[in-house]
Every structure is written in C-alpha cells, then in structure tokens.
Amino acid sequence: MKQRAFWSVAVAATLALAGCGSATGTDSSNSTSGKLVVWDWKSGDKTATAYVAKAKADFVKKHPGVTVEFVAQPFDQYYTLLGAAIQAGKGPDVMMFNGGGQIRDRVDALVPLDGFVAPDQQRLTGWDAFAKDGKTYGAPVTLQGYPVYFNKTLYKTAGLDPQRPATTWDGFTADCATITKATKASCFALGNKEGIGIQFFLSAFGSGILTPQEYDSWIAGQRDWTSPHVKQVFQLWKDVNDRGLNSKGGNSTTLFTDAFGIFQSGKAVNIIGLMSDIGHWKDFNEFLGPDNVGVMKSPVIAAGATPSLPFDGGIGYAVAKWTKDPALAADLVRSLTSTEALTAFYADAGAVVSDTTVQTSSGGAAISAIVADLKTGKPALHVALSSKTIELMGRLSQQILEGTVSVDDALKQLGESDRS
C-alpha cells in the first residue's frame, strides 16, 4: 500500500512539472512565446545530446520566443506515466512513442499530423508504424528492425566461412553444432526475462516460415492463429530451447542488456538484435570489431517462405491533443526529424534513422548489409499486434519455455486476445 501511495505521488508530481508547458498563441509565427514540454526516454542519453541540441537549434531559429524543455523519463515507467497524463488530460505537448501498438492504442489523445508533416513525407520512411485508420499520429525518428547478428570470429574458429552463412534452417543449426563443439558458444543468446525475446523471435524468423501471402495477411490484420505455419513459429520457439540452442536461463536473463552481453563476449554465435537504439550494429562493432559482425536474414525454415528483414518506424514523436498550439508543437516534431538532427543521431547513437538522405556508407559491413536489406524488408510481425496482445505473448512465451502452457493453449489465448 505504501508503494502504491508513493507511486501515485510520483506520477502526480511528474504531471505537475510537465503541466506548465504549452506555448501561447494560435499560430507558429516567430511572435509565439511560452514553453513546449517534451517527454521521451532518449534525451538524457549522451548519444542523443547532439541530436537534441540540433533539433532545438532548428526550432528556436523559427520560434525564438519559445523555450523547449525535454523531460527524459525512465523507459520502464514511461507508458505508465504517459497513461496517467492521458487520463488526466494534461502533460507534455510532444511525446515520444514506439511505433506500432503503443501509439495506435493511444491515438485518441493525439493530434493527427498529416497536414503538418506533409513536406517530410518523401524524405522520411517508417510512417506506417505511426498511423491508424489512414491518419498519421507520429513522425518517425528511427527505423527499428530485428536482424540476426552473428559472430564471424566464431565461424572462422570452427572452420566455417562467415561470408556464406547457411540459408536453410537445417544448415543453420548444423553450423551452430559445429561452432558449439569447437568453441562452446551457444547457438543463440536469449534474454526473455522481460518477455520481449519472443517478439524478436517471431519477427526475425516469421518470414522464414510464413508464405508471403500469410505474412501480408498478418500485417493487414487478417491473422489466423490456428494455421500450421503460425503454430510452427511458436513450436520453433519451444524446440530451440528444448534442444539447448539457447544460452542458459533465458527466462531469468534480461534482453536489455544481459543477453546482448552474452553475444558481445563471444559466448553465443547469434543474437536477434536491433537496428537502432541498443543491441545493434554499432554496439556489436565496438565489442567484436566491425569486421567480425555479420548480419543475416532468417534462413528458410518452411517451404514457400521468402525471408526478409523485418523493420518498421522505430521511435517517433507525436503531439498531445491538449497542447494549446498544435501547429507549433508539430513544428517542433519537424525539427526533431530534420536531416541535420537525424544525421547527428545516426553518427553518435548508431541509429538507423528514418531520413533516407542520411549517409551510412562509412559505418562498416553490418550497417551496409542492413541498409541494403531495407529495400526488400517488410513490417515486423509483432509490431502489428496490440500492446495488450504483445504483453500476453510475453507471459505465454515464458510459460512455454517453462512447460507450464502448451503451444496450442498459448495460440488459443493469443487468438482470443487479438480478436477482442
């Protein structure tokens, strides 16, 4: 009870601090004054310092009378705090979202941005993850995807050619067996303590199992949770663990960031990582060396599948419905997605940004491979799900590994959640 009371006070205090934002005025001219408050979980990072500075400078140049305050919230509490703000109908003017279910579930609290961000539509990509029912509610900052990274040094130590990773599941697991025998490294580094590992697994290997038609139907919302191929994805999740291909203790290992540490220390051959933010090509380059980080798409696991890189808009900024001047707040979103700001974010954080004009050619082989695969990439399967179903999938994925729920029972529950 004491903890609950403290939490309520903390949320109220945070809202009170943020509630003093909102610039005055009804247009976005230079005469506007006041303050805009931004909530995110990135602006406090060292790697985002230059990005935020350049975005602020761009905005202040257009609106010198308006100050901008960034409030960096802890990510693990972010959506709880945001939910309290939405319920109260006051809080930040501009807020960060993950693309997909997190923003789609909250569009009633947001301003449609289509009329404000039209000039950026061609320059930026990843819009679909921030759209619902034909309206755009956020502007993408990064692209987020789920490539399979592998350690080239372990391949070479085991006598395998890292330039030619297997393209079939049987070949992939055979290579893992060879490498594990030679180096004792596990096939995968798994972290599922947060229940997130299954999200990465579903999206990384789904295109290796579903046919292109099944994949597109899933993304379009026509999901058949009883189909043999959908069951195969979740059965594979269980089988990989049962065969001992994962690092030990997956359910008690955090993905952020213990599992990444397992891969970076050479104790696992492969990991399903991210394209941006953390656990991505730049992090792995620093630990393993740019020449030793490989990237692959899913191998073909079922006949008829066409593996592709799963990716969507990653993080982005949206405008709260309660802000006093939506046009002004939207202009800040445009500054946060300007080419100059996003170039700094790529350079310092290694984020694969949404701006297609930002050059990445000097980042090494891994980022070059990722960017090349963007052309044929498709939206990630888990991003199409609601936040409620994703949360349930996380819990069930842990129970599948523990053996306390069957794959069939898990799929039945997920189907019911997805349809509700």
Side-chain angles (χ1 to χ4, degrees):
M1 183 64 75
K2 285 182 179 177
Q3 185 178 12
R4 188 172 181 176
F6 170 79
W7 183 247
S8 299
V9 170
V11 170
T14 304
L15 291 177
L17 285 171
C20 59
S22 283
T24 58
T26 57
D27 60 30
S28 56
S29 69
N30 289 351
S31 61
T32 307
S33 62
K35 181 171 75 172
L36 291 175
V37 175
V38 181
W39 277 15
D40 62 20
W41 60 88
K42 279 292 177 189
S43 55
D45 294 354
K46 276 186 179 178
T47 54
T49 300
Y51 161 66
V52 170
K54 288 188 180 297
K56 269 186 171 180
D58 181 76
F59 181 76
V60 170
K61 192 185 304 178
K62 294 180 284 186
H63 308 283
V66 181
T67 59
V68 179
E69 179 188 359
F70 282 80
V71 181
Q73 307 283 10
F75 179 69
D76 60 349
Q77 300 169 17
Y78 183 77
Y79 286 108
T80 301
L81 293 167
L82 198 56
I86 290 171
Q87 191 171 13
K90 63 179 181 181
D93 303 281
V94 172
M95 40 207 177
M96 176 175 276
F97 279 97
N98 294 101
Q102 295 290 7
I103 189 168
R104 290 182 186 130
D105 290 352
R106 297 171 173 87
V107 297
D108 288 346
L110 304 177
V111 175
L113 296 181
D114 301 87
F116 302 116
V117 298
D120 304 321
Q121 286 286 345
Q122 294 302 315
R123 180 175 57 86
L124 305 181
T125 189
W127 292 99
D128 287 350
F130 298 90
K132 183 176 181 179
D133 298 333
K135 294 181 180 178
T136 301
Y137 291 92
V141 171
T142 66
L143 301 180
Q144 190 58 282
Y146 309 89
V148 179
Y149 292 95
F150 62 96
N151 185 325
K152 291 183 178 180
T153 300
L154 294 177
Y155 267 71
K156 287 182 275 191
T157 301
L160 299 175
D161 182 358
Q163 304 305 323
R164 303 171 65 87
T167 56
T168 66
W169 183 251
D170 287 344
F172 178 81
T173 54
D175 285 351
C176 275
T178 299
I179 296 170
T180 298
K181 184 177 181 180
T183 68
K184 300 188 183 306
S186 62
C187 183
F188 291 105
L190 174 66
N192 197 46
K193 186 174 182 178
E194 312 97 324
I196 297 175
I198 184 64
Q199 298 176 29
F200 287 34
F201 190 90
L202 169 63
S203 289
F205 292 124
S207 69
I209 295 177
L210 304 184
T211 66
Q213 292 77 17
E214 289 172 329
Y215 197 105
D216 294 344
S217 294
W218 177 288
I219 297 300
Q222 299 162 2
R223 291 179 279 277
D224 181 1
W225 292 89
T226 66
S227 84
H229 280 159
V230 171
K231 180 176 179 178
Q232 189 175 355
V233 176
F234 286 84
Q235 187 65 50
L236 190 68
W237 166 257
K238 174 177 167 54
D239 292 346
V240 164
N241 199 62
D242 290 350
R243 291 176 61 183
L245 298 179
N246 289 329
S247 52
K248 292 182 179 177
N251 273 352
S252 58
T253 302
T254 62
L255 179 58
F256 299 96
T257 58
D258 290 342
F260 296 136
I262 292 171
F263 177 71
Q264 289 165 177
S265 62
K267 295 178 181 176
V269 189
N270 305 286
I271 190 167
I272 305 167
L274 294 169
M275 282 167 33
S276 301
D277 296 325
I278 191 172
H280 62 342
W281 63 275
K282 188 175 179 70
D283 287 349
F284 300 149
N285 279 0
E286 291 174 1
F287 280 89
L288 302 177
D291 294 337
N292 296 319
V293 179
V295 176
M296 68 172 78
K297 293 176 288 192
S298 171
V300 174
I301 304 169
T306 304
S308 57
L309 174 68
F311 81 97
D312 298 90
I315 56 175
Y317 285 99
V319 173
K321 187 171 277 185
W322 53 74
T323 191
K324 292 179 180 175
D325 190 340
L328 185 71
D331 220 19
L332 177 56
V333 170
R334 294 198 64 203
S335 292
L336 286 161
T337 53
S338 66
T339 296
E340 191 173 10
L342 293 181
T343 298
F345 202 30
Y346 161 73
D348 293 349
V352 179
V353 294
S354 58
D355 191 325
T356 57
T357 68
V358 173
Q359 295 298 312
T360 60
S361 55
S362 61
I367 181 63
S368 296
I370 290 170
V371 171
D373 283 339
L374 291 176
K375 297 172 185 172
T376 55
K378 289 190 172 185
L381 295 174
H382 76 272
V383 176
L385 302 175
S386 69
S387 56
K388 180 186 68 173
T389 300
I390 284 179
E391 185 179 348
L392 174 63
M393 185 170 68
R395 291 199 303 273
L396 291 171
S397 73
Q398 294 166 334
Q399 294 167 8
I400 288 173
L401 297 188
E402 293 165 355
T404 57
V405 69
S406 69
V407 170
D408 286 335
D409 285 346
L411 291 173
K412 181 181 178 184
Q413 292 185 52
L414 289 168
E416 290 172 352
S417 173
D418 194 29
R419 290 188 290 273
S420 65

